[in-house]
mmCIF file with all atom_site columns, all heavy atoms in Angstrom:
data_model
loop_
_atom_site.group_PDB
_atom_site.id
_atom_site.type_symbol
_atom_site.label_atom_id
_atom_site.label_alt_id
_atom_site.label_comp_id
_atom_site.label_asym_id
_atom_site.label_entity_id
_atom_site.label_seq_id
_atom_site.pdbx_PDB_ins_code
_atom_site.Cartn_x
_atom_site.Cartn_y
_atom_site.Cartn_z
_atom_site.occupancy
_atom_site.B_iso_or_equiv
_atom_site.pdbx_formal_charge
_atom_site.auth_seq_id
_atom_site.auth_comp_id
_atom_site.auth_asym_id
_atom_site.auth_atom_id
_atom_site.pdbx_PDB_model_num
ATOM   1   N N   . ASP R 1 10  ? 8.473  25.032 -3.017  1.00 98.00 ? 10  ASP R N   1
ATOM   2   C CA  . ASP R 1 10  ? 8.749  26.338 -3.642  1.00 98.00 ? 10  ASP R CA  1
ATOM   3   C C   . ASP R 1 10  ? 9.699  26.146 -4.826  1.00 98.00 ? 10  ASP R C   1
ATOM   4   O O   . ASP R 1 10  ? 10.807 26.676 -4.859  1.00 98.00 ? 10  ASP R O   1
ATOM   5   C CB  . ASP R 1 10  ? 9.345  27.321 -2.617  1.00 98.00 ? 10  ASP R CB  1
ATOM   6   C CG  . ASP R 1 10  ? 10.686 26.848 -2.040  1.00 98.00 ? 10  ASP R CG  1
ATOM   7   O OD1 . ASP R 1 10  ? 10.959 25.631 -2.043  1.00 98.00 ? 10  ASP R OD1 1
ATOM   8   O OD2 . ASP R 1 10  ? 11.461 27.725 -1.599  1.00 98.00 ? 10  ASP R OD2 1
ATOM   9   N N   . GLY R 1 12  ? 11.954 26.180 -7.821  1.00 87.00 ? 12  GLY R N   1
ATOM   10  C CA  . GLY R 1 12  ? 13.046 25.611 -7.051  1.00 87.00 ? 12  GLY R CA  1
ATOM   11  C C   . GLY R 1 12  ? 13.654 24.380 -7.745  1.00 87.00 ? 12  GLY R C   1
ATOM   12  O O   . GLY R 1 12  ? 12.944 23.412 -8.033  1.00 87.00 ? 12  GLY R O   1
ATOM   13  N N   . ASP R 1 14  ? 16.067 22.223 -6.627  1.00 90.00 ? 14  ASP R N   1
ATOM   14  C CA  . ASP R 1 14  ? 16.114 20.960 -5.885  1.00 90.00 ? 14  ASP R CA  1
ATOM   15  C C   . ASP R 1 14  ? 14.718 20.447 -5.574  1.00 90.00 ? 14  ASP R C   1
ATOM   16  O O   . ASP R 1 14  ? 14.494 19.243 -5.429  1.00 90.00 ? 14  ASP R O   1
ATOM   17  C CB  . ASP R 1 14  ? 16.986 21.065 -4.638  1.00 90.00 ? 14  ASP R CB  1
ATOM   18  C CG  . ASP R 1 14  ? 16.532 22.135 -3.673  1.00 90.00 ? 14  ASP R CG  1
ATOM   19  O OD1 . ASP R 1 14  ? 16.018 23.167 -4.119  1.00 90.00 ? 14  ASP R OD1 1
ATOM   20  O OD2 . ASP R 1 14  ? 16.675 21.927 -2.461  1.00 90.00 ? 14  ASP R OD2 1
ATOM   21  N N   . ASP R 1 15  ? 13.761 21.368 -5.486  1.00 95.00 ? 15  ASP R N   1
ATOM   22  C CA  . ASP R 1 15  ? 12.362 20.936 -5.342  1.00 95.00 ? 15  ASP R CA  1
ATOM   23  C C   . ASP R 1 15  ? 11.944 20.085 -6.543  1.00 95.00 ? 15  ASP R C   1
ATOM   24  O O   . ASP R 1 15  ? 11.270 19.060 -6.397  1.00 95.00 ? 15  ASP R O   1
ATOM   25  C CB  . ASP R 1 15  ? 11.419 22.135 -5.259  1.00 95.00 ? 15  ASP R CB  1
ATOM   26  C CG  . ASP R 1 15  ? 11.712 23.062 -4.108  1.00 95.00 ? 15  ASP R CG  1
ATOM   27  O OD1 . ASP R 1 15  ? 12.751 23.731 -4.108  1.00 95.00 ? 15  ASP R OD1 1
ATOM   28  O OD2 . ASP R 1 15  ? 10.884 23.092 -3.175  1.00 95.00 ? 15  ASP R OD2 1
ATOM   29  N N   . ASN R 1 39  ? 11.800 30.243 -2.734  1.00 95.00 ? 39  ASN R N   1
ATOM   30  C CA  . ASN R 1 39  ? 12.917 30.430 -3.674  1.00 95.00 ? 39  ASN R CA  1
ATOM   31  C C   . ASN R 1 39  ? 12.634 31.581 -4.639  1.00 95.00 ? 39  ASN R C   1
ATOM   32  O O   . ASN R 1 39  ? 13.513 32.379 -4.960  1.00 95.00 ? 39  ASN R O   1
ATOM   33  C CB  . ASN R 1 39  ? 13.148 29.155 -4.479  1.00 95.00 ? 39  ASN R CB  1
ATOM   34  C CG  . ASN R 1 39  ? 13.848 28.093 -3.670  1.00 95.00 ? 39  ASN R CG  1
ATOM   35  O OD1 . ASN R 1 39  ? 14.719 28.394 -2.855  1.00 95.00 ? 39  ASN R OD1 1
ATOM   36  N ND2 . ASN R 1 39  ? 13.445 26.848 -3.864  1.00 95.00 ? 39  ASN R ND2 1
ATOM   37  N N   . HIS R 1 82  ? 18.442 29.935 -7.696  1.00 67.00 ? 82  HIS R N   1
ATOM   38  C CA  . HIS R 1 82  ? 17.482 29.192 -8.522  1.00 67.00 ? 82  HIS R CA  1
ATOM   39  C C   . HIS R 1 82  ? 17.105 29.919 -9.806  1.00 67.00 ? 82  HIS R C   1
ATOM   40  O O   . HIS R 1 82  ? 16.280 29.420 -10.586 1.00 67.00 ? 82  HIS R O   1
ATOM   41  C CB  . HIS R 1 82  ? 16.226 28.893 -7.706  1.00 67.00 ? 82  HIS R CB  1
ATOM   42  C CG  . HIS R 1 82  ? 16.499 28.012 -6.529  1.00 67.00 ? 82  HIS R CG  1
ATOM   43  N ND1 . HIS R 1 82  ? 16.425 26.633 -6.595  1.00 67.00 ? 82  HIS R ND1 1
ATOM   44  C CD2 . HIS R 1 82  ? 16.895 28.292 -5.272  1.00 67.00 ? 82  HIS R CD2 1
ATOM   45  C CE1 . HIS R 1 82  ? 16.748 26.114 -5.424  1.00 67.00 ? 82  HIS R CE1 1
ATOM   46  N NE2 . HIS R 1 82  ? 17.049 27.093 -4.594  1.00 67.00 ? 82  HIS R NE2 1
ATOM   47  N N   . ILE R 1 122 ? 8.962  21.171 1.585   1.00 98.00 ? 122 ILE R N   1
ATOM   48  C CA  . ILE R 1 122 ? 10.347 21.348 1.123   1.00 98.00 ? 122 ILE R CA  1
ATOM   49  C C   . ILE R 1 122 ? 10.614 22.809 0.754   1.00 98.00 ? 122 ILE R C   1
ATOM   50  O O   . ILE R 1 122 ? 11.500 23.111 -0.042  1.00 98.00 ? 122 ILE R O   1
ATOM   51  C CB  . ILE R 1 122 ? 10.668 20.399 -0.052  1.00 98.00 ? 122 ILE R CB  1
ATOM   52  C CG1 . ILE R 1 122 ? 9.643  20.501 -1.173  1.00 98.00 ? 122 ILE R CG1 1
ATOM   53  C CG2 . ILE R 1 122 ? 10.760 18.962 0.453   1.00 98.00 ? 122 ILE R CG2 1
ATOM   54  C CD1 . ILE R 1 122 ? 9.965  19.645 -2.399  1.00 98.00 ? 122 ILE R CD1 1
ATOM   55  N N   . GLY R 1 123 ? 9.850  23.682 1.328   1.00 98.00 ? 123 GLY R N   1
ATOM   56  C CA  . GLY R 1 123 ? 10.020 25.131 1.213   1.00 98.00 ? 123 GLY R CA  1
ATOM   57  C C   . GLY R 1 123 ? 9.722  25.747 2.565   1.00 98.00 ? 123 GLY R C   1
ATOM   58  O O   . GLY R 1 123 ? 9.635  25.045 3.582   1.00 98.00 ? 123 GLY R O   1
ATOM   59  N N   . PRO R 1 124 ? 9.571  27.074 2.612   1.00 98.00 ? 124 PRO R N   1
ATOM   60  C CA  . PRO R 1 124 ? 9.164  27.707 3.877   1.00 98.00 ? 124 PRO R CA  1
ATOM   61  C C   . PRO R 1 124 ? 7.887  27.080 4.418   1.00 98.00 ? 124 PRO R C   1
ATOM   62  O O   . PRO R 1 124 ? 7.058  26.580 3.660   1.00 98.00 ? 124 PRO R O   1
ATOM   63  C CB  . PRO R 1 124 ? 8.972  29.167 3.464   1.00 98.00 ? 124 PRO R CB  1
ATOM   64  C CG  . PRO R 1 124 ? 9.906  29.341 2.307   1.00 98.00 ? 124 PRO R CG  1
ATOM   65  C CD  . PRO R 1 124 ? 9.845  28.048 1.551   1.00 98.00 ? 124 PRO R CD  1
ATOM   66  N N   . MET R 1 148 ? 12.175 19.427 4.932   1.00 98.00 ? 148 MET R N   1
ATOM   67  C CA  . MET R 1 148 ? 13.538 19.889 4.664   1.00 98.00 ? 148 MET R CA  1
ATOM   68  C C   . MET R 1 148 ? 13.614 21.270 5.286   1.00 98.00 ? 148 MET R C   1
ATOM   69  O O   . MET R 1 148 ? 12.935 22.203 4.849   1.00 98.00 ? 148 MET R O   1
ATOM   70  C CB  . MET R 1 148 ? 13.845 19.996 3.172   1.00 98.00 ? 148 MET R CB  1
ATOM   71  C CG  . MET R 1 148 ? 15.347 20.205 2.924   1.00 98.00 ? 148 MET R CG  1
ATOM   72  S SD  . MET R 1 148 ? 15.858 21.944 3.170   1.00 98.00 ? 148 MET R SD  1
ATOM   73  C CE  . MET R 1 148 ? 17.364 21.707 4.146   1.00 98.00 ? 148 MET R CE  1
ATOM   74  N N   . ASN R 1 158 ? 22.627 28.468 5.892   1.00 96.00 ? 158 ASN R N   1
ATOM   75  C CA  . ASN R 1 158 ? 23.132 28.784 4.544   1.00 96.00 ? 158 ASN R CA  1
ATOM   76  C C   . ASN R 1 158 ? 22.739 30.192 4.098   1.00 96.00 ? 158 ASN R C   1
ATOM   77  O O   . ASN R 1 158 ? 23.224 30.701 3.100   1.00 96.00 ? 158 ASN R O   1
ATOM   78  C CB  . ASN R 1 158 ? 22.668 27.740 3.513   1.00 96.00 ? 158 ASN R CB  1
ATOM   79  C CG  . ASN R 1 158 ? 21.156 27.586 3.471   1.00 96.00 ? 158 ASN R CG  1
ATOM   80  O OD1 . ASN R 1 158 ? 20.424 28.317 4.128   1.00 96.00 ? 158 ASN R OD1 1
ATOM   81  N ND2 . ASN R 1 158 ? 20.692 26.613 2.696   1.00 96.00 ? 158 ASN R ND2 1
ATOM   82  N N   . GLU R 1 164 ? 18.962 28.368 8.095   1.00 98.00 ? 164 GLU R N   1
ATOM   83  C CA  . GLU R 1 164 ? 18.734 27.704 6.795   1.00 98.00 ? 164 GLU R CA  1
ATOM   84  C C   . GLU R 1 164 ? 17.585 28.406 6.102   1.00 98.00 ? 164 GLU R C   1
ATOM   85  O O   . GLU R 1 164 ? 16.625 28.839 6.723   1.00 98.00 ? 164 GLU R O   1
ATOM   86  C CB  . GLU R 1 164 ? 18.420 26.218 7.071   1.00 98.00 ? 164 GLU R CB  1
ATOM   87  C CG  . GLU R 1 164 ? 18.095 25.398 5.856   1.00 98.00 ? 164 GLU R CG  1
ATOM   88  C CD  . GLU R 1 164 ? 16.642 25.578 5.434   1.00 98.00 ? 164 GLU R CD  1
ATOM   89  O OE1 . GLU R 1 164 ? 15.784 25.740 6.311   1.00 98.00 ? 164 GLU R OE1 1
ATOM   90  O OE2 . GLU R 1 164 ? 16.390 25.603 4.218   1.00 98.00 ? 164 GLU R OE2 1
ATOM   91  N N   . PHE R 1 165 ? 17.596 28.463 4.756   1.00 97.00 ? 165 PHE R N   1
ATOM   92  C CA  . PHE R 1 165 ? 16.677 29.303 4.007   1.00 97.00 ? 165 PHE R CA  1
ATOM   93  C C   . PHE R 1 165 ? 15.211 29.083 4.362   1.00 97.00 ? 165 PHE R C   1
ATOM   94  O O   . PHE R 1 165 ? 14.472 30.042 4.607   1.00 97.00 ? 165 PHE R O   1
ATOM   95  C CB  . PHE R 1 165 ? 16.873 29.090 2.502   1.00 97.00 ? 165 PHE R CB  1
ATOM   96  C CG  . PHE R 1 165 ? 15.924 29.920 1.670   1.00 97.00 ? 165 PHE R CG  1
ATOM   97  C CD1 . PHE R 1 165 ? 16.211 31.256 1.386   1.00 97.00 ? 165 PHE R CD1 1
ATOM   98  C CD2 . PHE R 1 165 ? 14.741 29.378 1.194   1.00 97.00 ? 165 PHE R CD2 1
ATOM   99  C CE1 . PHE R 1 165 ? 15.322 32.035 0.641   1.00 97.00 ? 165 PHE R CE1 1
ATOM   100 C CE2 . PHE R 1 165 ? 13.848 30.145 0.444   1.00 97.00 ? 165 PHE R CE2 1
ATOM   101 C CZ  . PHE R 1 165 ? 14.142 31.475 0.171   1.00 97.00 ? 165 PHE R CZ  1
ATOM   102 N N   . ASN R 1 166 ? 14.717 27.837 4.347   1.00 98.00 ? 166 ASN R N   1
ATOM   103 C CA  . ASN R 1 166 ? 13.282 27.606 4.557   1.00 98.00 ? 166 ASN R CA  1
ATOM   104 C C   . ASN R 1 166 ? 12.813 28.122 5.912   1.00 98.00 ? 166 ASN R C   1
ATOM   105 O O   . ASN R 1 166 ? 11.719 28.669 6.032   1.00 98.00 ? 166 ASN R O   1
ATOM   106 C CB  . ASN R 1 166 ? 12.949 26.117 4.433   1.00 98.00 ? 166 ASN R CB  1
ATOM   107 C CG  . ASN R 1 166 ? 13.055 25.618 3.011   1.00 98.00 ? 166 ASN R CG  1
ATOM   108 O OD1 . ASN R 1 166 ? 12.949 26.401 2.057   1.00 98.00 ? 166 ASN R OD1 1
ATOM   109 N ND2 . ASN R 1 166 ? 13.292 24.326 2.846   1.00 98.00 ? 166 ASN R ND2 1
ATOM   110 N N   . LEU R 1 189 ? 20.346 20.907 7.127   1.00 98.00 ? 189 LEU R N   1
ATOM   111 C CA  . LEU R 1 189 ? 21.558 21.073 6.314   1.00 98.00 ? 189 LEU R CA  1
ATOM   112 C C   . LEU R 1 189 ? 22.674 20.128 6.733   1.00 98.00 ? 189 LEU R C   1
ATOM   113 O O   . LEU R 1 189 ? 23.485 19.698 5.910   1.00 98.00 ? 189 LEU R O   1
ATOM   114 C CB  . LEU R 1 189 ? 22.052 22.517 6.415   1.00 98.00 ? 189 LEU R CB  1
ATOM   115 C CG  . LEU R 1 189 ? 21.179 23.614 5.814   1.00 98.00 ? 189 LEU R CG  1
ATOM   116 C CD1 . LEU R 1 189 ? 21.818 24.974 6.063   1.00 98.00 ? 189 LEU R CD1 1
ATOM   117 C CD2 . LEU R 1 189 ? 20.961 23.390 4.319   1.00 98.00 ? 189 LEU R CD2 1
ATOM   118 N N   . HIS R 1 237 ? 19.009 18.987 -1.061  1.00 96.00 ? 237 HIS R N   1
ATOM   119 C CA  . HIS R 1 237 ? 18.228 19.323 0.125   1.00 96.00 ? 237 HIS R CA  1
ATOM   120 C C   . HIS R 1 237 ? 16.856 18.647 0.077   1.00 96.00 ? 237 HIS R C   1
ATOM   121 O O   . HIS R 1 237 ? 16.508 17.819 0.904   1.00 96.00 ? 237 HIS R O   1
ATOM   122 C CB  . HIS R 1 237 ? 18.061 20.842 0.218   1.00 96.00 ? 237 HIS R CB  1
ATOM   123 C CG  . HIS R 1 237 ? 19.347 21.607 0.216   1.00 96.00 ? 237 HIS R CG  1
ATOM   124 N ND1 . HIS R 1 237 ? 20.292 21.499 1.210   1.00 96.00 ? 237 HIS R ND1 1
ATOM   125 C CD2 . HIS R 1 237 ? 19.855 22.491 -0.681  1.00 96.00 ? 237 HIS R CD2 1
ATOM   126 C CE1 . HIS R 1 237 ? 21.315 22.300 0.932   1.00 96.00 ? 237 HIS R CE1 1
ATOM   127 N NE2 . HIS R 1 237 ? 21.070 22.915 -0.212  1.00 96.00 ? 237 HIS R NE2 1
ATOM   128 N N   . ASP R 1 238 ? 16.073 18.995 -0.923  1.00 97.00 ? 238 ASP R N   1
ATOM   129 C CA  . ASP R 1 238 ? 14.673 18.561 -0.948  1.00 97.00 ? 238 ASP R CA  1
ATOM   130 C C   . ASP R 1 238 ? 14.514 17.093 -1.308  1.00 97.00 ? 238 ASP R C   1
ATOM   131 O O   . ASP R 1 238 ? 13.653 16.399 -0.741  1.00 97.00 ? 238 ASP R O   1
ATOM   132 C CB  . ASP R 1 238 ? 13.883 19.441 -1.919  1.00 97.00 ? 238 ASP R CB  1
ATOM   133 C CG  . ASP R 1 238 ? 13.834 20.886 -1.448  1.00 97.00 ? 238 ASP R CG  1
ATOM   134 O OD1 . ASP R 1 238 ? 14.032 21.128 -0.234  1.00 97.00 ? 238 ASP R OD1 1
ATOM   135 O OD2 . ASP R 1 238 ? 13.611 21.776 -2.278  1.00 97.00 ? 238 ASP R OD2 1
HETATM 136 O O1  . RIB O 2 .   ? 18.081 25.606 2.299   1.00 81.11 ? 1   RIB O O1  1
HETATM 137 C C1  . RIB O 2 .   ? 17.650 24.758 1.267   1.00 81.11 ? 1   RIB O C1  1
HETATM 138 C C2  . RIB O 2 .   ? 16.196 24.916 1.012   1.00 81.11 ? 1   RIB O C2  1
HETATM 139 O O2  . RIB O 2 .   ? 15.914 26.243 0.607   1.00 81.11 ? 1   RIB O O2  1
HETATM 140 C C3  . RIB O 2 .   ? 15.685 24.038 -0.145  1.00 81.11 ? 1   RIB O C3  1
HETATM 141 O O3  . RIB O 2 .   ? 14.351 23.692 0.093   1.00 81.11 ? 1   RIB O O3  1
HETATM 142 C C4  . RIB O 2 .   ? 15.789 24.941 -1.339  1.00 81.11 ? 1   RIB O C4  1
HETATM 143 O O4  . RIB O 2 .   ? 14.843 24.598 -2.365  1.00 81.11 ? 1   RIB O O4  1
HETATM 144 C C5  . RIB O 2 .   ? 15.416 26.260 -0.725  1.00 81.11 ? 1   RIB O C5  1
HETATM 145 O O5  . RIB O 2 .   ? 14.003 26.332 -0.700  1.00 81.11 ? 1   RIB O O5  1
#
Side-chain angles (χ1 to χ4, degrees):
D10 62 336
D14 58 327
D15 301 68
N39 284 323
H82 297 270
I122 52 176
M148 191 280 135
N158 56 6
E164 177 279 325
F165 179 83
N166 289 337
L189 293 178
H237 304 296
D238 296 339

